[in-house]
Each structure stands twice: as structure tokens, then as C-alpha cells.
Amino acid sequence: MKTTKRKRIPKIGLACAGGGIEGAVYEIGALCALEEAIEGISFADAHIYVGVSAGAIITASLANGITPRQMSRAILSHQHDVHPITPSTFYSPAYREYFSRAGHIPYTVASMIWGYIKHPGDISLGGSLSRMTELLPVGIFNNTPIRDYMKLNFSYEGRTDDFRELKTRLRIVATDLDSSKSVVFGSPGYDDVPISLAVQASTALPAIYTPVRIKNRNYIDGVAQRTVHASVAMDEGADLTICVNPIVPYEALENAEAEIQELLLDRGLTAVLSQTFRTMIHSRMNVGINRYKQEYKNQDIIVIEPDSKDYRMFFTNIFSFSSRKEVCNYAYQSTRLHLKRNADEINAILKKHGLFLNDEALRDDLRSLYEDRYRNTGEKTISDLSITLKKLDMVLDDM
């Protein structure tokens, strides 16, 4: 009797990097486009999810059955079983940290003065004053509301805040502050930590958020070690790992208008530091991706990220309701455009795993992330104009 050979189902890994609330919103839009355009893929049932920083919020939600489309609507308003992502979730002042540091002022100042009086020639007055840095808060914001947000969404029936109860694999990466080593929550030995607490630790970007204490250890953002940690997915058997990275430096074209070229400098220290951070992180990620291609020759990786020449992603005011919507739709449209422009290369990778791009879906230039009920007339006109300009851009590129 002849037996038919069962077709092997590919193990799909999804790795999402950080980038704050803007990065989370970008990843949502990109995932909507990917799920729609890649035939045979569903991010609700991947083999393994790996999340770092803001990406931990997205992957933890996906592992709990919250779809990209549900998240895309939740950034606009409350949805059934999914609460909205709001700036207040990310930016709550760390009052306890402020008061704690303030309480140390009398002792630190007295100790500083006494040390200078006791050993006047040992250290200068300016050197003594340097101890004042000990009074600076280690973080501006408290990210406990991020944990509360995750716990609330995981409290609904069918979801869980326990790694061990998930139907799939979820790995949340953070950095141990005292050893500088990466810790993968959800892996054996670290799977008893609540998912929401692991997410809080992974999002604790130094100087922005206070470190998170878990089992007598202090943890900070997982990006401190690597950008996307795609190797975690490949080490656990993923045949194809899709990486979504929102952190790219802005690259002004040499022939760009003068006001655009001066945007970074005009925006001051914050923009300069952001550009520096993005450049370092992105450079490190590229080195890692190239190394993965050598170390995991039988496994594939696809990277999705914003266009570094598009200043809108870098300078969008994410505190604005309309801007969150704009970033999410931008991610959706730009990801579709990337898939179309690189269809041959991407299809060659997908075909190895029994997947392929849906050409019909990608050819539909009138598709929008949001239904008409989420768009007013002005937004629809702008969206249609944007689609027309993208089509013209593609024609010019092919000439």
C-alpha cells in the first residue's frame, strides 16, 4: 500500500525590536501588511515569538492570540478585549525614584563637604561636587503602567500572564544590569516570571525608565545587548525568522531641501542623541544579521524596517492621535511597497518554506490599513494621493 508523504509545516519565528511607542505602532502596521501579503502565514500561531523592548509588548500580545489587526484598531480606540495603547502608558513620571534620590541629599552633601575638609589636597572642590551625580534619578519615567496594561489585556478568557500556559513559545529578552548579560524570560529557568513583568523589564531603557527588580536582580532594556535577538528564534528551531525593526537612523539626501537637512540640528539635543542611538543600534543589527547568515546557513531571515530616507518616521509626533494612526498606516503601506520592490528576492526565500507572496493583494494599490469608518474625507483624499505618488515613484525607479 502506497503511503503519501506528509508535507512538513515550516516553523516560523517572529522577532520584534524596540523603539518606544512609535516603534510599537510601526511594528503593528508592518505585521498587518506582512500577514496580508504572505500567503500561508499567520502571526497568531508562529512557532516562536521573540520580543525586545517595545517589541516585547507586540510579541507577548500575539502569543496571547491578539492579532495585528486588533492591535491596529486598539491604538485608535478601545476594542473588545483589547485596551488602547496610549502615551500615558509609556510616560508616567517616576515619582518614587525622585523622592528616594531627594532623601539622600543631606547625607551626600554632608559627606561631600566633610571629605573635602578632611582631605583638602586629595581632591579638588570640583571633584567633590562630582558626587552630586549620585543624586540624579536613574530613570525619568516609571514603566509599571506598561506591566499593568499587559496584565489587563491578559486577564480576558483564553489569555494568560504565565509563559508556561501559552500554546506557543514566547521569549522576552532583557539585560541583567549587574552582569550585563542577556536574560531570556520564557526559557527554562526563567519561565516562572509573569509575562507582564518580563515585558516591563525588557522595556526599561536606561535613563528613560528605572531598572526593574526581579528575584533580587536588576534588569534593563534588552536592546542594551542586541537589537532584535533573532538568534533566539533560530536556536529554537525556526526555519524562517521574520524580523521587524523600527530603529533606523535618518538619512537626509544630499539634494534634499535645506530645511529638511537642518531638521536634526534644529530639533536640539534630543534629536541628536536619538540619531546617534539609532545609528549605533542599526549598525550593530546589520553586523548581527550578516553573522546569522553564516552561522545559520540552513535557516532564513527576512528583515522589515522603515526607509531611512523618509523623515516622516523620524519626526512624527507620536503623542498625537492622528500621528499614531499615520505611523501605523505608513508602516503598512511602506511594508507593502518593500515587498513589491523586492518580490523576486523575498519569494525565493519564502518558496523554500512553502510560502509565497500574494501578488493580487500587493497589486491592489487602493488597499488601506483602516476601513472608511476610521477615516474622514480629508484623510481619504490624502491617502489616495499618497498611493498615487507611491505608484509614480515606482514607475520612475524602474525607468
Side-chain angles (χ1 to χ4, degrees):
M1 182 177 177
K2 188 177 180 181
T3 58
T4 57
K5 189 176 180 180
R6 182 178 295 179
K7 188 177 179 181
R8 181 177 179 273
I9 299 175
K11 295 178 179 178
I12 305 299
L14 175 65
C16 291
I21 186 171
E22 181 182 28
V25 171
Y26 173 86
E27 288 174 339
I28 292 169
L31 290 172
C32 286
L34 288 167
E35 193 168 63
E36 181 181 273
I38 301 177
E39 200 68 36
I41 201 169
S42 170
F43 291 123
D45 55 5
H47 170 69
I48 181 171
Y49 302 90
V50 181
V52 185
S53 195
I57 297 173
I58 304 303
T59 53
S61 299
L62 290 168
N64 262 289
I66 303 173
T67 69
R69 280 284 178 174
Q70 284 178 293
M71 285 187 270
S72 73
R73 292 190 290 268
I75 67 170
L76 303 182
S77 62
H78 177 84
Q79 299 295 308
H80 177 63
D81 291 355
V82 186
H83 290 264
I85 299 174
T86 63
S88 61
T89 305
F90 284 78
Y91 303 112
S92 295
Y95 292 119
R96 179 176 295 181
E97 173 67 11
Y98 302 161
F99 294 143
S100 175
R101 295 288 165 173
H104 288 83
I105 291 177
Y107 172 79
T108 302
V109 172
S111 176
M112 178 188 69
I113 294 173
W114 174 245
Y116 180 72
I117 294 173
K118 190 175 181 181
H119 305 286
D122 187 48
I123 190 170
S124 67
L125 180 60
S128 296
L129 289 172
S130 66
R131 284 200 59 190
M132 296 293 286
T133 58
E134 297 175 16
L135 300 174
L136 293 175
V138 295
I140 301 172
F141 302 109
N142 170 26
N143 66 349
T144 301
I146 294 178
R147 182 188 182 187
D148 295 339
Y149 169 81
M150 303 304 293
K151 286 178 66 177
L152 186 61
N153 277 335
F154 297 160
S155 65
Y156 293 100
E157 186 177 353
R159 299 176 190 167
T160 180
D161 197 23
D162 191 328
F163 284 101
R164 298 163 296 188
E165 294 179 358
L166 290 171
K167 297 177 181 178
T168 186
R169 303 183 190 189
L170 171 65
R171 304 293 182 255
I172 302 298
V173 186
T175 302
D176 186 317
L177 177 62
D178 301 308
S179 69
S180 78
K181 294 180 180 179
S182 293
V183 171
V184 183
F185 291 107
S187 63
Y190 293 95
D191 55 358
D192 59 334
V193 174
I195 296 172
S196 57
L197 182 57
V199 171
Q200 182 188 0
S202 184
T203 57
L205 183 65
I208 303 300
Y209 295 114
T210 55
V212 176
R213 196 161 182 81
I214 302 175
K215 295 182 179 179
N216 297 318
R217 304 293 293 184
N218 296 306
Y219 292 94
I220 58 174
D221 199 313
V223 174
Q225 272 285 353
R226 297 179 188 173
T227 306
V228 291
H229 292 268
S231 60
V232 173
M234 292 186 280
D235 284 338
E236 297 210 28
D239 300 310
L240 170 64
T241 301
I242 297 176
C243 301
V244 184
N245 171 49
I247 309 175
V248 297
Y250 170 55
E251 181 183 348
L253 297 173
E254 292 184 4
N255 59 349
E257 296 178 7
E259 57 266 30
I260 292 180
Q261 292 198 24
E262 293 295 326
L263 277 174
L264 278 171
L265 194 58
D266 290 345
R267 294 296 178 101
L269 179 62
T270 303
V272 173
L273 290 177
S274 177
Q275 176 77 334
T276 303
F277 173 77
R278 287 166 177 259
T279 301
M280 293 170 59
I281 293 295
H282 194 252
S283 174
R284 187 177 64 183
M285 188 199 75
N286 287 334
V287 171
I289 294 298
N290 290 330
R291 188 177 71 250
Y292 296 157
K293 291 178 180 179
Q294 297 299 319
E295 295 178 359
Y296 303 91
K297 293 184 178 180
N298 296 323
Q299 294 161 278
D300 292 298
I301 188 168
I302 294 175
V303 179
I304 302 296
E305 57 188 13
D307 184 349
S308 61
K309 297 180 179 64
D310 194 334
Y311 69 91
R312 291 171 298 179
M313 183 66 187
F314 192 93
F315 296 107
T316 298
N317 176 16
I318 203 65
F319 288 98
S320 164
F321 168 86
S322 59
S323 293
R324 294 201 299 275
K325 185 176 173 182
E326 180 185 344
V327 167
C328 201
N329 194 52
Y330 161 81
Y332 173 81
Q333 297 294 357
S334 63
T335 300
R336 283 171 48 81
L337 190 60
H338 172 78
L339 294 175
K340 281 191 280 189
R341 285 178 167 172
N342 300 277
D344 291 341
E345 177 185 349
I346 293 172
N347 257 326
I349 296 173
L350 294 176
K351 190 176 294 185
K352 291 159 58 174
H353 306 284
L355 306 170
F356 60 91
L357 290 175
N358 185 331
D359 293 332
E360 183 178 348
L362 288 174
R363 281 197 301 266
D364 184 2
D365 291 325
L366 295 179
R367 282 185 184 239
S368 175
L369 177 59
Y370 295 106
E371 297 88 347
D372 287 340
R373 67 192 178 100
Y374 289 109
R375 297 193 294 167
N376 59 39
T377 304
E379 288 175 324
K380 189 175 188 304
T381 301
I382 292 172
S383 176
D384 292 345
L385 177 59
S386 176
I387 291 170
T388 302
L389 291 174
K390 284 186 175 73
K391 292 173 68 175
L392 178 60
D393 185 43
M394 290 183 65
V395 172
L396 293 174
D397 283 347
D398 293 337
M399 291 180 64

